[in-house]
Coordinates of all heavy atoms in Angstrom, one line a residue:
M94 N -27.7 -12.5 -88.6 CA -28.5 -11.8 -87.5 C -27.4 -11.0 -86.6 O -26.4 -11.6 -86.2 CB -29.3 -12.9 -86.8 CG -29.9 -12.3 -85.7 SD -31.0 -13.5 -85.0 CE -32.4 -12.5 -84.5
L95 N -27.8 -9.8 -86.2 CA -26.9 -9.1 -85.4 C -27.0 -9.5 -83.9 O -28.1 -10.0 -83.4 CB -27.4 -7.5 -85.4 CG -27.1 -6.9 -86.6 CD1 -27.7 -5.5 -86.7 CD2 -25.7 -6.8 -87.0
P96 N -25.9 -9.6 -83.2 CA -26.0 -9.9 -81.7 C -26.9 -8.9 -81.0 O -26.9 -7.8 -81.3 CB -24.6 -9.9 -81.2 CG -23.8 -9.0 -82.2 CD -24.6 -9.1 -83.5
S97 N -27.6 -9.4 -80.0 CA -28.4 -8.4 -79.3 C -27.5 -7.6 -78.3 O -26.5 -8.2 -77.7 CB -29.4 -9.3 -78.5 OG -28.9 -10.1 -77.5
I98 N -27.9 -6.4 -78.1 CA -27.2 -5.6 -77.3 C -28.0 -5.3 -76.0 O -29.2 -5.1 -76.0 CB -26.9 -4.1 -77.9 CG1 -26.1 -4.4 -79.1 CG2 -26.3 -3.1 -77.0 CD1 -25.8 -3.0 -80.0
P99 N -27.4 -5.6 -74.8 CA -28.3 -5.5 -73.6 C -28.8 -4.1 -73.4 O -28.0 -3.2 -73.6 CB -27.4 -6.0 -72.5 CG -26.0 -6.0 -73.1 CD -26.1 -6.0 -74.6
Y100 N -30.0 -3.9 -73.0 CA -30.6 -2.6 -72.9 C -30.0 -2.1 -71.5 O -30.1 -2.8 -70.4 CB -32.1 -2.7 -72.9 CG -32.8 -1.4 -72.4 CD1 -32.7 -0.3 -73.3 CD2 -33.4 -1.2 -71.1 CE1 -33.4 0.8 -72.9 CE2 -34.0 -0.1 -70.9 CZ -33.9 0.9 -71.6 OH -34.5 2.1 -71.3
A101 N -29.5 -0.9 -71.5 CA -29.1 -0.3 -70.3 C -29.9 0.9 -70.0 O -29.8 2.0 -70.6 CB -27.5 0.1 -70.3
P102 N -30.8 0.9 -69.1 CA -31.7 2.0 -68.8 C -30.8 3.2 -68.2 O -29.8 3.0 -67.5 CB -32.8 1.6 -67.9 CG -32.0 0.3 -67.2 CD -31.2 -0.2 -68.3
F103 N -31.2 4.3 -68.5 CA -30.5 5.4 -67.9 C -31.6 6.6 -67.3 O -32.5 6.6 -67.7 CB -29.6 6.2 -69.0 CG -30.3 6.8 -70.2 CD1 -30.7 8.1 -70.0 CD2 -30.6 6.0 -71.3 CE1 -31.4 8.7 -71.3 CE2 -31.3 6.6 -72.2 CZ -31.8 7.9 -72.2
D104 N -31.1 7.3 -66.4 CA -31.8 8.3 -65.6 C -31.7 9.5 -66.4 O -30.7 10.2 -66.4 CB -31.4 8.3 -64.2 CG -32.2 9.2 -63.3 OD1 -33.2 9.8 -64.0 OD2 -31.9 9.4 -62.2
V105 N -32.8 10.1 -67.0 CA -32.7 11.3 -67.8 C -32.3 12.5 -66.8 O -31.5 13.3 -67.2 CB -34.1 11.6 -68.4 CG1 -34.1 13.0 -69.0 CG2 -34.3 10.5 -69.5
S106 N -32.7 12.5 -65.7 CA -32.4 13.6 -64.7 C -30.8 13.5 -64.4 O -30.3 14.7 -64.2 CB -33.2 13.5 -63.5 OG -32.8 12.4 -62.6
E107 N -30.3 12.4 -64.4 CA -28.8 12.2 -64.1 C -28.1 12.8 -65.4 O -27.0 13.5 -65.2 CB -28.4 10.8 -63.9 CG -26.9 10.5 -63.6 CD -26.3 11.3 -62.5 OE1 -27.1 11.7 -61.5 OE2 -25.1 11.5 -62.4
V108 N -28.5 12.4 -66.5 CA -27.9 13.0 -67.7 C -28.0 14.5 -67.8 O -26.9 15.1 -68.0 CB -28.6 12.4 -69.0 CG1 -28.1 13.1 -70.2 CG2 -28.3 10.9 -69.1
Y109 N -29.0 15.2 -67.4 CA -29.4 16.5 -67.3 C -28.4 17.2 -66.4 O -27.7 18.0 -66.6 CB -30.8 16.8 -67.0 CG -30.9 18.3 -67.0 CD1 -31.0 19.2 -68.0 CD2 -31.0 18.9 -65.7 CE1 -31.1 20.5 -67.8 CE2 -31.1 20.2 -65.5 CZ -31.3 21.0 -66.4 OH -31.4 22.3 -66.2
R110 N -28.3 16.4 -65.2 CA -27.5 17.0 -64.1 C -26.1 17.1 -64.5 O -25.5 18.0 -64.3 CB -27.5 16.2 -62.8 CG -26.8 16.7 -61.6 CD -26.8 15.7 -60.4 NE -26.0 14.7 -60.8 CZ -24.6 14.5 -60.9 NH1 -23.8 15.7 -60.7 NH2 -24.0 13.5 -61.1
R111 N -25.5 16.0 -65.2 CA -24.1 16.0 -65.6 C -23.9 17.1 -66.7 O -22.9 17.8 -66.7 CB -23.7 14.6 -66.1 CG -23.6 13.7 -65.0 CD -23.2 12.2 -65.5 NE -23.2 11.3 -64.4 CZ -22.4 10.3 -64.4 NH1 -21.8 10.0 -65.5 NH2 -22.5 9.3 -63.5
L112 N -24.8 17.2 -67.6 CA -24.6 18.2 -68.7 C -24.6 19.5 -68.2 O -23.8 20.4 -68.6 CB -25.7 18.0 -69.7 CG -25.6 16.8 -70.7 CD1 -26.8 16.7 -71.6 CD2 -24.3 16.9 -71.5
H113 N -25.5 19.8 -67.2 CA -25.7 21.0 -66.5 C -24.3 21.5 -65.8 O -23.8 22.6 -65.8 CB -26.8 21.1 -65.6 CG -27.1 22.5 -64.9 ND1 -27.6 23.6 -65.6 CD2 -27.0 22.9 -63.8 CE1 -27.7 24.6 -64.9 NE2 -27.3 24.2 -63.7
A114 N -23.8 20.4 -65.0 CA -22.5 20.7 -64.4 C -21.4 21.0 -65.4 O -20.5 21.8 -65.0 CB -22.2 19.4 -63.4
R115 N -21.4 20.2 -66.4 CA -20.3 20.5 -67.4 C -20.5 22.0 -68.1 O -19.4 22.7 -68.1 CB -20.4 19.5 -68.5 CG -19.9 18.2 -68.1 CD -20.0 17.2 -69.2 NE -18.6 17.1 -70.0 CZ -18.3 16.4 -70.7 NH1 -19.2 15.5 -71.2 NH2 -17.0 16.4 -71.3
Q116 N -21.6 22.4 -68.2 CA -21.9 23.7 -68.7 C -21.5 24.8 -67.7 O -20.9 25.9 -68.0 CB -23.4 23.9 -69.2 CG -23.6 25.2 -69.8 CD -22.9 25.5 -71.2 OE1 -22.9 24.6 -72.0 NE2 -22.1 26.5 -71.2
E117 N -21.9 24.5 -66.4 CA -21.5 25.5 -65.4 C -20.0 25.6 -65.2 O -19.5 26.7 -65.1 CB -22.1 25.1 -64.0 CG -23.5 25.4 -63.9 CD -24.1 25.0 -62.5 OE1 -23.6 24.2 -61.9 OE2 -25.1 25.6 -62.2
A118 N -19.3 24.5 -65.3 CA -17.9 24.5 -65.3 C -17.2 25.3 -66.5 O -16.4 26.1 -66.3 CB -17.2 23.1 -65.2
A119 N -17.7 25.0 -67.7 CA -17.3 25.8 -68.9 C -17.4 27.2 -68.7 O -16.7 28.1 -69.0 CB -17.9 25.1 -70.1
D120 N -18.6 27.7 -68.2 CA -19.0 29.1 -67.9 C -18.0 29.7 -67.0 O -17.6 30.8 -67.1 CB -20.4 29.3 -67.4 CG -21.5 28.8 -68.5 OD1 -21.1 28.8 -69.8 OD2 -22.6 28.7 -68.1
R121 N -17.7 29.0 -65.9 CA -16.9 29.5 -64.9 C -15.3 29.7 -65.5 O -14.9 30.6 -65.2 CB -16.7 28.5 -63.7 CG -17.8 28.6 -62.6 CD -17.4 27.9 -61.4 NE -17.2 26.5 -61.6 CZ -18.1 25.5 -61.7 NH1 -19.4 25.8 -61.5 NH2 -17.8 24.4 -61.9
R122 N -14.9 28.7 -66.3 CA -13.7 28.8 -66.9 C -13.6 30.1 -68.0 O -12.5 30.8 -68.0 CB -13.2 27.7 -67.6 CG -12.9 26.4 -66.7 CD -12.3 25.2 -67.4 NE -13.1 24.7 -68.5 CZ -14.1 23.7 -68.3 NH1 -14.3 23.3 -67.2 NH2 -14.7 23.4 -69.3
R123 N -14.7 30.2 -68.6 CA -14.7 31.3 -69.6 C -14.7 32.7 -68.9 O -14.0 33.6 -69.3 CB -16.1 31.3 -70.4 CG -16.2 32.4 -71.4 CD -17.6 32.2 -72.1 NE -18.6 32.2 -71.2 CZ -19.2 32.9 -70.7 NH1 -18.8 34.3 -70.7 NH2 -20.4 32.8 -69.9
L124 N -15.5 32.7 -67.8 CA -15.5 34.1 -66.9 C -14.2 34.3 -66.4 O -13.6 35.5 -66.2 CB -16.6 34.0 -65.9 CG -18.0 34.0 -66.3 CD1 -19.0 33.8 -65.3 CD2 -18.3 35.5 -67.1
E125 N -13.4 33.2 -65.9 CA -12.1 33.3 -65.3 C -11.2 33.8 -66.3 O -10.3 34.7 -66.1 CB -11.7 32.1 -64.7 CG -10.5 32.2 -63.8 CD -10.1 30.9 -63.1 OE1 -9.7 30.0 -63.9 OE2 -10.2 30.9 -61.9
R126 N -11.2 33.2 -67.6 CA -10.3 33.7 -68.7 C -10.6 35.2 -68.9 O -9.6 36.0 -69.2 CB -10.5 32.9 -69.9 CG -9.8 31.5 -69.7 CD -9.7 30.8 -71.2 NE -11.0 30.6 -71.8 CZ -11.9 29.6 -71.4 NH1 -11.5 28.6 -70.7 NH2 -12.9 29.6 -72.2
Q127 N -11.8 35.5 -69.1 CA -12.2 36.9 -69.3 C -11.6 37.8 -68.2 O -11.1 39.0 -68.5 CB -13.7 37.0 -69.5 CG -14.3 38.5 -69.8 CD -15.7 38.5 -69.8 OE1 -16.4 37.4 -69.7 NE2 -16.3 39.7 -69.7
G128 N -11.8 37.4 -67.0 CA -11.2 38.4 -65.8 C -9.8 38.5 -65.9 O -9.2 39.5 -65.9
F129 N -9.0 37.4 -66.2 CA -7.5 37.5 -66.5 C -7.2 38.5 -67.6 O -6.3 39.4 -67.6 CB -6.9 36.3 -66.7 CG -6.8 35.3 -65.5 CD1 -7.2 34.0 -65.5 CD2 -6.4 35.9 -64.2 CE1 -7.2 33.3 -64.4 CE2 -6.2 35.1 -63.1 CZ -6.7 33.7 -63.2
R130 N -7.9 38.4 -68.7 CA -7.7 39.3 -69.9 C -8.0 40.7 -69.5 O -7.2 41.7 -69.8 CB -8.6 38.9 -71.0 CG -8.0 37.9 -71.8 CD -8.8 37.7 -73.1 NE -10.3 37.6 -73.1 CZ -10.9 36.5 -73.0 NH1 -10.3 35.4 -72.9 NH2 -12.2 36.5 -72.8
E131 N -9.1 40.9 -68.6 CA -9.3 42.4 -68.3 C -8.4 42.9 -67.4 O -8.0 44.1 -67.3 CB -10.9 42.3 -67.6 CG -12.0 42.2 -68.7 CD -13.2 42.0 -68.0 OE1 -13.4 42.3 -66.8 OE2 -14.2 41.9 -68.8
M132 N -7.9 42.0 -66.5 CA -6.8 42.5 -65.5 C -5.6 42.8 -66.3 O -4.8 43.8 -65.9 CB -6.4 41.4 -64.5 CG -7.7 41.2 -63.5 SD -7.2 39.9 -62.2 CE -6.2 40.9 -61.1
L133 N -5.2 42.1 -67.4 CA -3.9 42.4 -68.0 C -4.1 43.7 -68.9 O -3.1 44.3 -69.2 CB -3.6 41.1 -69.0 CG -3.2 40.1 -68.2 CD1 -3.0 38.7 -69.0 CD2 -1.7 40.3 -67.6
D134 N -5.4 44.1 -69.0 CA -5.4 45.3 -69.8 C -5.5 46.6 -68.9 O -5.3 47.6 -69.4 CB -6.8 45.4 -70.4 CG -7.1 44.5 -71.7 OD1 -6.1 44.3 -72.2 OD2 -8.2 44.1 -72.0
L135 N -5.3 46.2 -67.5 CA -5.1 47.4 -66.6 C -3.8 47.8 -66.6 O -2.8 47.3 -66.9 CB -5.5 46.9 -65.2 CG -7.0 46.4 -65.0 CD1 -7.3 45.8 -63.5 CD2 -7.9 47.6 -65.2
D136 N -3.6 49.2 -66.1 CA -2.4 49.8 -65.9 C -1.7 49.2 -64.7 O -2.2 48.7 -63.9 CB -2.5 51.3 -65.6 CG -1.4 52.1 -65.5 OD1 -0.7 52.4 -66.6 OD2 -0.9 52.4 -64.4
D137 N -0.4 49.2 -64.8 CA 0.5 48.5 -63.8 C 0.2 49.2 -62.4 O 0.1 48.5 -61.4 CB 1.9 48.7 -64.1 CG 2.4 47.6 -65.2 OD1 1.7 46.6 -65.4 OD2 3.5 47.8 -65.8
H138 N -0.1 50.4 -62.3 CA -0.3 51.1 -61.1 C -1.6 50.7 -60.6 O -1.8 50.5 -59.3 CB -0.3 52.6 -61.3 CG 1.0 53.2 -61.6 ND1 1.5 53.5 -62.9 CD2 2.0 53.5 -60.8 CE1 2.7 53.9 -62.9 NE2 3.1 54.0 -61.6
V139 N -2.7 50.4 -61.4 CA -3.8 49.8 -60.9 C -3.7 48.4 -60.4 O -4.3 48.2 -59.4 CB -4.9 49.9 -62.1 CG1 -6.2 49.4 -61.7 CG2 -5.1 51.5 -62.5
L140 N -3.1 47.6 -61.1 CA -2.7 46.3 -60.6 C -2.0 46.3 -59.3 O -2.4 45.4 -58.2 CB -1.9 45.5 -61.7 CG -2.5 45.3 -62.9 CD1 -1.5 44.5 -63.9 CD2 -3.8 44.2 -62.6
R141 N -1.1 47.3 -59.1 CA -0.4 47.3 -57.8 C -1.5 47.7 -56.7 O -1.4 47.3 -55.6 CB 0.7 48.3 -58.0 CG 1.4 48.7 -56.6 CD 2.4 47.4 -56.3 NE 2.9 47.7 -55.1 CZ 4.1 47.2 -54.8 NH1 4.7 46.3 -55.5 NH2 4.7 47.4 -53.6
D142 N -2.3 48.7 -57.1 CA -3.4 49.0 -56.1 C -4.3 47.8 -55.7 O -4.7 47.9 -54.5 CB -4.3 50.2 -56.6 CG -3.6 51.4 -56.7 OD1 -2.5 51.8 -56.0 OD2 -4.1 52.4 -57.5
I143 N -4.5 47.0 -56.7 CA -5.2 45.8 -56.3 C -4.4 44.9 -55.4 O -5.0 44.0 -54.7 CB -5.7 45.1 -57.6 CG1 -6.7 46.0 -58.4 CG2 -6.3 43.8 -57.4 CD1 -6.9 45.5 -59.9
G144 N -3.0 44.9 -55.6 CA -2.3 44.1 -54.8 C -1.5 43.0 -55.6 O -1.1 42.0 -55.0
V145 N -1.5 43.1 -56.8 CA -0.9 42.1 -57.7 C 0.0 42.8 -58.8 O -0.1 44.0 -59.0 CB -1.8 41.2 -58.5 CG1 -2.7 40.4 -57.5 CG2 -2.8 42.0 -59.3
T146 N 1.0 42.0 -59.5 CA 1.7 42.6 -60.4 C 1.2 42.0 -61.9 O 0.5 40.8 -61.7 CB 3.2 42.4 -60.3 OG1 3.4 40.8 -60.4 CG2 3.8 42.8 -58.9
R147 N 1.7 42.5 -62.8 CA 1.2 42.0 -64.1 C 1.9 40.6 -64.4 O 1.2 39.7 -64.8 CB 1.8 42.9 -65.3 CG 1.5 42.3 -66.8 CD 1.7 43.5 -67.7 NE 1.2 44.7 -67.4 CZ -0.1 45.2 -67.6 NH1 -0.9 44.2 -68.0 NH2 -0.5 46.2 -67.2
G148 N 3.0 40.4 -63.8 CA 3.6 39.1 -63.8 C 2.9 38.1 -62.9 O 2.8 36.8 -63.4
D149 N 2.3 38.4 -61.9 CA 1.4 37.6 -61.1 C 0.2 37.1 -61.8 O 0.0 35.8 -61.9 CB 0.8 38.3 -59.8 CG 2.0 38.6 -58.8 OD1 2.9 38.0 -58.7 OD2 1.6 39.5 -58.0
V150 N -0.5 38.0 -62.6 CA -1.7 37.7 -63.2 C -1.3 36.8 -64.5 O -2.0 35.8 -64.8 CB -2.4 39.0 -63.8 CG1 -3.6 38.7 -64.7 CG2 -2.7 39.9 -62.6
E151 N -0.2 37.1 -65.2 CA 0.3 36.3 -66.3 C 0.7 34.9 -65.8 O 0.3 33.9 -66.4 CB 1.6 36.9 -67.0 CG 1.2 38.3 -67.7 CD 2.5 38.8 -68.3 OE1 3.5 38.6 -67.8 OE2 2.2 39.8 -69.1
Y152 N 1.3 34.7 -64.7 CA 1.7 33.5 -64.1 C 0.6 32.6 -63.8 O 0.4 31.5 -64.3 CB 2.5 33.7 -62.9 CG 2.7 32.4 -62.1 CD1 3.5 31.3 -62.5 CD2 2.1 32.3 -60.8 CE1 3.7 30.2 -61.7 CE2 2.3 31.1 -60.2 CZ 3.1 30.1 -60.6 OH 3.1 28.9 -59.8
V153 N -0.5 33.3 -63.1 CA -1.6 32.5 -62.6 C -2.5 32.0 -63.8 O -3.0 31.0 -63.9 CB -2.4 33.3 -61.5 CG1 -3.7 32.7 -61.2 CG2 -1.5 33.6 -60.3
S154 N -2.6 33.0 -64.8 CA -3.4 32.7 -65.9 C -2.8 31.6 -66.8 O -3.7 31.0 -67.6 CB -3.6 33.9 -66.8 OG -2.3 34.2 -67.6
Q155 N -1.7 31.2 -66.7 CA -1.1 30.1 -67.3 C -1.2 28.7 -66.7 O -0.9 27.7 -67.2 CB 0.4 30.5 -67.7 CG 0.6 31.6 -68.6 CD -0.1 31.4 -69.9 OE1 0.0 30.5 -70.5 NE2 -0.9 32.5 -70.3
L156 N -1.6 28.7 -65.3 CA -1.7 27.5 -64.5 C -2.9 26.6 -65.2 O -3.7 27.2 -65.8 CB -2.0 27.8 -63.2 CG -0.9 28.6 -62.2 CD1 -1.4 28.9 -61.0 CD2 0.3 27.7 -62.2
P157 N -2.7 25.4 -64.9 CA -3.9 24.5 -65.4 C -5.2 25.0 -64.8 O -5.2 25.4 -63.8 CB -3.4 23.2 -64.9 CG -2.0 23.2 -64.6 CD -1.7 24.6 -64.4
E158 N -6.2 24.7 -65.6 CA -7.6 25.2 -65.2 C -8.0 24.4 -64.0 O -9.0 24.7 -63.4 CB -8.5 25.1 -66.3 CG -8.2 26.2 -67.4 CD -9.2 26.2 -68.6 OE1 -10.0 25.2 -68.7 OE2 -9.2 27.0 -69.3
D159 N -7.5 23.1 -63.7 CA -8.0 22.4 -62.5 C -7.5 23.0 -61.2 O -7.8 22.5 -60.2 CB -7.7 20.9 -62.7 CG -6.2 20.6 -62.8 OD1 -5.4 21.6 -63.0 OD2 -5.9 19.6 -62.5
R160 N -6.5 24.0 -61.3 CA -6.1 24.6 -60.0 C -6.9 25.9 -59.8 O -7.6 26.4 -60.6 CB -4.7 25.2 -60.4 CG -3.7 24.3 -60.8 CD -3.0 23.3 -59.6 NE -2.4 24.2 -58.7 CZ -1.1 24.8 -58.7 NH1 -0.4 24.5 -59.6 NH2 -0.7 25.4 -57.6
D161 N -7.2 26.1 -58.5 CA -7.9 27.2 -58.1 C -7.1 28.5 -58.2 O -6.4 29.1 -57.4 CB -8.3 27.0 -56.5 CG -9.3 28.1 -56.2 OD1 -9.6 29.0 -56.9 OD2 -9.7 28.0 -55.0
R162 N -7.1 29.1 -59.5 CA -6.3 30.1 -59.8 C -6.6 31.3 -59.2 O -5.7 32.2 -58.8 CB -6.2 30.3 -61.3 CG -5.6 29.0 -62.1 CD -5.6 29.2 -63.5 NE -6.8 29.4 -64.2 CZ -7.0 29.4 -65.5 NH1 -6.0 29.3 -66.3 NH2 -8.3 29.6 -65.9
S163 N -7.9 31.7 -58.8 CA -8.3 32.7 -58.1 C -7.7 33.0 -56.7 O -7.2 33.8 -56.2 CB -9.8 32.9 -58.1 OG -10.3 33.1 -59.3
S164 N -7.7 31.8 -56.1 CA -7.1 31.6 -54.6 C -5.7 31.8 -54.7 O -5.1 32.4 -53.8 CB -7.5 30.3 -54.0 OG -8.9 30.2 -53.9
I165 N -5.0 31.2 -55.7 CA -3.5 31.3 -55.9 C -3.2 32.9 -56.1 O -2.2 33.5 -55.4 CB -3.0 30.6 -57.0 CG1 -3.2 29.2 -56.6 CG2 -1.5 30.9 -57.3 CD1 -2.9 28.1 -57.7
L166 N -4.0 33.5 -56.9 CA -3.8 35.1 -57.1 C -4.0 35.9 -55.8 O -3.2 36.8 -55.5 CB -4.7 35.6 -58.3 CG -4.3 36.9 -58.7 CD1 -3.0 37.1 -59.2 CD2 -5.3 37.2 -59.8
R167 N -5.0 35.4 -55.0 CA -5.3 36.1 -53.8 C -4.1 35.9 -52.8 O -3.9 36.9 -52.1 CB -6.6 35.5 -53.2 CG -7.3 36.3 -52.3 CD -8.7 35.9 -52.0 NE -9.2 34.6 -52.3 CZ -10.0 34.2 -53.3 NH1 -10.3 35.1 -54.3 NH2 -10.3 32.9 -53.5
R168 N -3.5 34.8 -52.8 CA -2.4 34.5 -51.9 C -1.2 35.3 -52.3 O -0.4 35.9 -51.5 CB -2.1 33.0 -51.8 CG -3.0 32.2 -50.9 CD -2.4 30.8 -50.7 NE -2.0 30.0 -51.8 CZ -3.0 29.2 -52.4 NH1 -4.1 29.2 -52.0 NH2 -2.5 28.6 -53.5
L169 N -1.0 35.4 -53.7 CA 0.1 36.2 -54.1 C -0.1 37.7 -53.6 O 0.9 38.4 -53.4 CB 0.2 36.2 -55.7 CG 0.8 34.9 -56.1 CD1 0.8 34.8 -57.7 CD2 2.2 34.7 -55.6
S170 N -1.4 38.1 -53.8 CA -1.7 39.6 -53.3 C -1.4 39.8 -52.0 O -1.2 40.9 -51.5 CB -2.9 40.0 -53.8 OG -3.9 39.4 -53.0
A171 N -1.5 38.8 -51.1 CA -1.4 39.0 -49.6 C 0.0 39.4 -49.3 O 0.1 40.2 -48.3 CB -1.9 37.7 -48.9
R172 N 1.0 39.1 -50.1 CA 2.3 39.6 -49.7 C 2.5 41.2 -49.8 O 3.2 41.7 -49.0 CB 3.4 39.1 -50.7 CG 3.4 39.5 -52.1 CD 4.4 38.9 -52.9 NE 4.4 39.6 -54.3 CZ 3.8 39.2 -55.3 NH1 2.9 38.1 -55.1 NH2 3.7 39.8 -56.4
F173 N 1.7 41.9 -50.4 CA 1.6 43.4 -50.5 C 1.1 43.9 -49.2 O 1.5 44.8 -48.6 CB 1.0 43.8 -51.7 CG 1.7 43.7 -53.0 CD1 1.2 43.0 -54.0 CD2 3.0 44.3 -53.2 CE1 1.8 42.9 -55.2 CE2 3.7 44.2 -54.3 CZ 3.1 43.4 -55.3
R174 N -0.1 43.1 -48.8 CA -0.7 43.6 -47.6 C 0.0 43.3 -46.4 O 0.0 44.0 -45.4 CB -2.2 42.9 -47.5 CG -3.1 43.4 -48.5 CD -4.5 42.8 -48.3 NE -4.7 41.4 -48.2 CZ -4.7 40.6 -49.2 NH1 -4.8 41.1 -50.5 NH2 -4.8 39.2 -49.1
T175 N 0.9 42.3 -46.3 CA 1.6 41.8 -45.2 C 3.0 42.4 -45.3 O 3.9 42.1 -44.3 CB 1.7 40.4 -45.1 OG1 2.3 39.7 -46.2 CG2 0.4 39.8 -44.9
G176 N 3.4 43.0 -46.5 CA 4.7 43.6 -46.6 C 5.9 42.5 -47.0 O 7.1 42.7 -46.8
G177 N 5.4 41.3 -47.5 CA 6.2 40.3 -47.9 C 6.6 40.2 -49.1 O 7.0 40.7 -50.1

């Protein structure tokens, strides 16, 4: 005879919420990667007009995904606006 396994009730709405949150996070990461690819396709002069260099975009795109890479790129671009 098999040992009995205690029944652990679960909340279907909680399971859905967690799955939905994971899907949203995956979608955000996909869009961010797509954005970096599109930026790297731009001409260096256009990147400079935006306020970043190709090296900035390459650097930030290689950072771990748990970092706020868009904010880091925004801070890097601030040096052009402030002359730094």
